[in-house]
Amino acid sequence: MDFSEPPTKETLDGARRRLAVTRDAVGQLSTKINAAEATLAQIVQESQYAINELQAQRAELQKQVAKTMAYLSPIRRLPLELLREIFMRSFEDHPCSAWVLAAVCTSWRRLALRIPLIWSKIRLLTTQHASADTIRLWLERSGDTTPLDIEIFLRVASSKKASDASSHRPRRTASPLTPITPPWNLAFGGQQLSHYIVAPPPPPPPIGSMPIVMPPSPPSHSNDGWSPPLPHHERPVNAVSRVSMHWGHIAFFYLVEQMHRWERFVFRFDKQFTSMGALKSINGDAPILREFEVSSVEAAFFAEWPWLPNANSSSSVVLPRLRSLTLQHTPFKWSSPMLRDLHTLNLRGLPTSHLPLDRILHILSNNPDLKSVSLHFQGVLPAILPLASLTLPHVTSLTLGGHYLLTQLLESLTLPVLDSLTLDIEARDAIEDIISGLLTRSNRPPVQNLSIAYGVAANAANFYYGPGGLVIAWTALLAELPHLKTLTIGGTSLEPLLTTLGYPEDDPNQSQTLAWACPALEFLGLRSCHAHNEGVTKLVQMVEARNPDNGAAQAVGGVTPTRLARLELYECSSLGEDVMKWLDSRIADVLCVDPAADR
């Protein structure tokens, strides 16, 4: 395009005419382009529709292929009798497997719902904010006659407190060990988490290593009438509050209705909760009940509930098979018919409970076939009636804790087959003479486990065991325990104990035959044991004598001691990195936690 300069009237008119022609040409080309793009879009749309149709047909065919392959699967040809046997084997290993099996497919669900036995073990870890309908559904699916094995653990304390409690870790450890005298395991009862249905926590749900297993919701063809509750964050705030207030009443309404089917009943909770009064409804006959436990971690204050452990001695209570009873921080009467003919008895009294010593002995005398006894009472009154001697010929494990008057109970007992003795009693006087008297009266049973002041009592601030502890004359006491394999001691002086356990030495003030103390000892645990300047030295000498670098320890009197396999030192003395490294080289498992003042 050539335009003359300067523009004239004629050139300007020519430019205007050319501009109009050019614009007409651009408009025509734009129309053609739009038409071509519309045609292309139509072609793409039709092609995409055709592709979608083909993909839908392919997906349908793939579904048919999957269904056909599933139909041709060998497990389809498995007889229902064998599939039922597989379900039963899975139930034996994993009590909650019925929830998973019922969610696989329609046929498996129908079969699972026709086997009440695989729903007979209730393993529920829950909170009071969760729905109690899970318990109802579990009970309904277990049928009408199947015996019930129930374990329900209620978490009331906040997760923050739980995390704070678990944040303390040992500073040094040679290998992963369980904590020294671990606290009562409320959550899992010593079993794996996978064996429990875990109720959902309040939102937002924590993301962690613990799986959250929920009961699968039934499909529409199910006729059990259950649907999962609304998620916590979708419920109104007042609705959540009502759930937490009434959880116990709803849950125990369903549970007590089936009390005639209880074979085992275990209910544990970590602290008081709003609907705790629902426990009062546990009353009536339980003709097949073998084990009963209601335990609280927190020591609370209760009135006397009109429930089964508080029944009068004249009450007609049908409990012909009850052999194991555990009541921790819950009310009970010493004369209750429930406290008779037991094999295992575990009682931890309330802070407000003050039983006379003769009534505690009466509880034991009502159970002549006892095998395991654990009694802990903070409040004990002097005996009203004279204490009579009592022989329990089958008791292998005895645990006494709490008030110092319980030592008088120990003086009344004879235990000819005692294997394990645990004492966590308030300090008043040394108790080695009491233990020696028990062993003498019992014809020196082969005690293999001894624990003194190692549990809760050793950690309580108001328990002070004095400069020597509950035992002063270690040599005389340990000489009477040649079969001892486990020794755990708290609140004592390190040097006398370690000297006794070390290489036997002559005592110029006494004439005696040299012998190893506790030659079968394999595990030594020390908690809050104070040491003087030679404490660490005595520890090294004891380990050197029992676990020499090469070969076995030196024989004394024809006896060679067993090598120590495990050593625990909890807030006793700062050992130092070099001593820890040396201990690791001599003992397979070593756990050392420095005193709080050194951390």
Side-chain angles (χ1 to χ4, degrees):
M1 297 176 63
D2 297 328
F3 297 101
S4 61
E5 294 292 341
T8 63
K9 182 178 179 180
E10 291 78 6
T11 59
L12 291 175
D13 291 339
R16 291 188 183 96
R17 289 192 297 271
R18 184 172 294 183
L19 178 60
V21 172
T22 304
R23 285 178 172 172
D24 290 341
V26 170
Q28 293 174 6
L29 289 175
S30 296
T31 301
K32 292 180 180 179
I33 291 172
N34 291 337
E37 287 180 347
T39 303
L40 178 60
Q42 181 67 24
I43 294 173
V44 170
Q45 183 179 3
E46 292 175 355
S47 299
Q48 187 62 51
Y49 179 79
I51 291 173
N52 291 340
E53 287 291 327
L54 294 174
Q55 288 178 340
Q57 294 176 18
R58 182 180 66 179
E60 185 62 30
L61 291 175
Q62 286 177 338
K63 289 182 180 179
Q64 294 180 15
V65 169
K67 289 181 179 180
T68 305
M69 292 181 64
Y71 181 75
L72 296 174
S73 175
I75 200 168
R76 289 281 187 174
R77 302 191 296 272
L78 192 68
L80 286 180
E81 292 79 5
L82 293 181
L83 187 60
R84 178 189 176 92
E85 183 64 23
I86 293 173
F87 282 17
M88 294 300 299
R89 295 291 182 92
S90 176
F91 164 71
E92 292 174 1
D93 295 333
H94 303 279
C96 296
S97 61
W99 293 103
V100 179
L101 297 174
V104 172
C105 63
T106 303
S107 60
W108 280 33
R109 183 177 186 79
R110 284 198 297 263
L111 179 59
L113 293 177
R114 290 201 300 265
I115 309 177
L117 184 59
I118 65 175
W119 303 93
S120 63
K121 289 187 178 181
I122 296 180
R123 300 290 185 269
L124 182 62
L125 175 60
T126 186
T127 69
Q128 57 182 340
H129 304 293
S131 173
D133 279 342
T134 304
I135 297 176
R136 174 188 62 81
L137 180 61
W138 217 322
L139 293 171
E140 288 177 356
R141 293 183 176 183
S142 66
D144 298 323
T145 59
T146 307
L148 295 173
D149 184 344
I150 303 170
E151 293 182 11
I152 300 176
F153 303 153
L154 179 67
R155 280 179 170 169
V156 184
S158 64
S159 58
K160 182 179 183 299
K161 291 182 180 180
S163 62
D164 291 344
S166 61
S167 61
H168 175 73
R169 297 180 180 178
R171 190 172 69 87
R172 295 186 300 265
T173 179
S175 59
L177 297 175
T178 55
I180 301 178
T181 315
W184 172 51
N185 193 343
L186 170 74
F188 311 121
Q191 301 188 32
Q192 300 178 8
L193 179 64
S194 59
H195 289 183
Y196 292 80
I197 292 293
V198 184
I207 300 175
S209 57
M210 294 199 312
I212 296 178
V213 186
M214 278 302 297
S217 65
S220 57
H221 62 267
S222 174
N223 58 359
D224 50 30
W226 182 83
S227 59
L230 285 174
H232 192 285
H233 62 278
E234 296 182 9
R235 303 182 202 170
V237 175
N238 57 349
V240 175
S241 176
R242 287 197 298 269
V243 169
S244 61
M245 289 178 59
H246 301 295
W247 181 92
H249 298 288
I250 298 171
F252 279 92
F253 172 77
Y254 296 134
L255 290 168
V256 174
E257 275 192 329
Q258 304 297 325
M259 194 168 170
H260 62 281
R261 291 201 287 143
W262 288 4
E263 189 173 35
R264 286 184 70 246
F265 181 83
V266 175
F267 178 68
R268 298 176 181 173
F269 51 101
D270 51 4
K271 62 183 299 184
Q272 298 183 75
F273 56 99
T274 309
S275 53
M276 190 167 52
L279 292 170
K280 300 177 184 178
S281 61
I282 301 179
N283 218 330
D285 298 335
I288 64 173
L289 183 64
R290 295 185 295 105
E291 179 181 349
F292 181 85
E293 175 180 350
V294 176
S295 297
S296 171
V297 173
E298 182 184 66
F301 297 90
F302 301 89
E304 285 195 0
W305 288 342
W307 71 321
L308 201 54
N310 270 337
N312 294 321
S313 57
S314 58
S315 300
S316 177
V317 178
V318 179
L319 298 167
R321 299 187 182 181
L322 184 63
R323 295 297 178 264
S324 177
L325 177 64
T326 299
L327 299 171
Q328 301 196 62
H329 294 149
T330 52
F332 62 88
K333 283 185 177 179
W334 61 275
S335 58
S336 171
M338 200 174 197
L339 276 70
R340 297 174 186 170
D341 301 324
L342 300 171
H343 292 170
T344 301
L345 178 62
N346 186 349
L347 297 178
R348 181 177 290 268
L350 294 169
T352 54
S353 173
H354 295 79
L355 282 177
L357 197 60
D358 58 307
R359 292 182 177 176
I360 298 177
L361 185 65
H362 178 78
I363 294 175
L364 298 180
S365 64
N366 279 342
N367 299 275
D369 295 327
L370 277 171
K371 298 179 180 178
S372 177
V373 181
S374 178
L375 303 176
H376 192 284
F377 294 96
Q378 290 295 338
V380 177
L381 300 176
I384 299 175
L385 300 176
L387 293 179
S389 299
L390 176 63
T391 300
L392 298 174
H394 308 293
V395 169
T396 59
S397 175
L398 175 64
T399 298
L400 294 179
H403 201 272
Y404 72 94
L405 284 178
L406 289 174
T407 56
Q408 298 181 19
L409 179 69
L410 199 63
E411 292 177 320
S412 302
L413 297 178
T414 300
L415 310 172
V417 295
L418 184 65
D419 176 79
S420 177
L421 178 62
T422 301
L423 300 175
D424 282 315
I425 300 174
E426 298 174 12
R428 290 297 174 95
D429 299 306
I431 61 172
E432 57 265 33
D433 291 340
I434 296 176
I435 299 176
S436 298
L438 171 66
L439 297 176
T440 302
R441 288 193 308 275
S442 304
N443 197 22
R444 304 197 179 279
V447 177
Q448 298 188 20
N449 304 283
L450 176 64
S451 178
I452 300 176
Y454 193 70
V456 177
N459 296 325
N462 58 335
F463 288 167
Y464 173 64
Y465 293 104
L470 280 176
V471 175
I472 298 177
W474 284 107
T475 303
L477 175 62
L478 297 184
E480 300 185 64
L481 299 167
H483 304 282
L484 199 66
K485 294 184 177 180
T486 299
L487 177 62
T488 53
I489 303 295
T492 191
S493 180
L494 270 180
E495 287 84 350
L497 173 60
L498 296 177
T499 299
T500 302
L501 293 175
Y503 188 81
E505 297 179 356
D506 288 321
D507 188 349
N509 298 323
Q510 296 182 3
S511 58
Q512 57 183 3
T513 304
L514 291 182
W516 283 99
C518 307
L521 189 65
E522 298 176 354
F523 169 43
L524 176 63
L526 303 172
R527 178 191 292 271
S528 302
C529 293
H530 48 281
H532 300 292
N533 296 332
E534 297 185 355
V536 177
T537 302
K538 292 295 184 181
L539 175 65
V540 171
Q541 292 175 353
M542 185 272 293
V543 175
E544 175 68 21
R546 287 181 170 267
N547 291 31
D549 191 15
N550 298 317
Q554 183 176 349
V556 176
V559 177
T560 301
T562 303
R563 292 180 67 90
L564 279 177
R566 183 174 174 182
L567 174 66
E568 292 182 357
L569 296 171
Y570 187 80
E571 295 192 347
C572 293
S573 178
S574 297
L575 301 183
E577 298 292 340
D578 53 344
V579 176
M580 276 299 304
K581 184 176 180 181
W582 184 84
L583 290 174
D584 290 341
S585 66
R586 297 299 182 95
I587 303 175
D589 292 329
V590 179
L591 177 62
C592 175
V593 178
D594 289 341
D598 298 332
R599 287 200 297 269

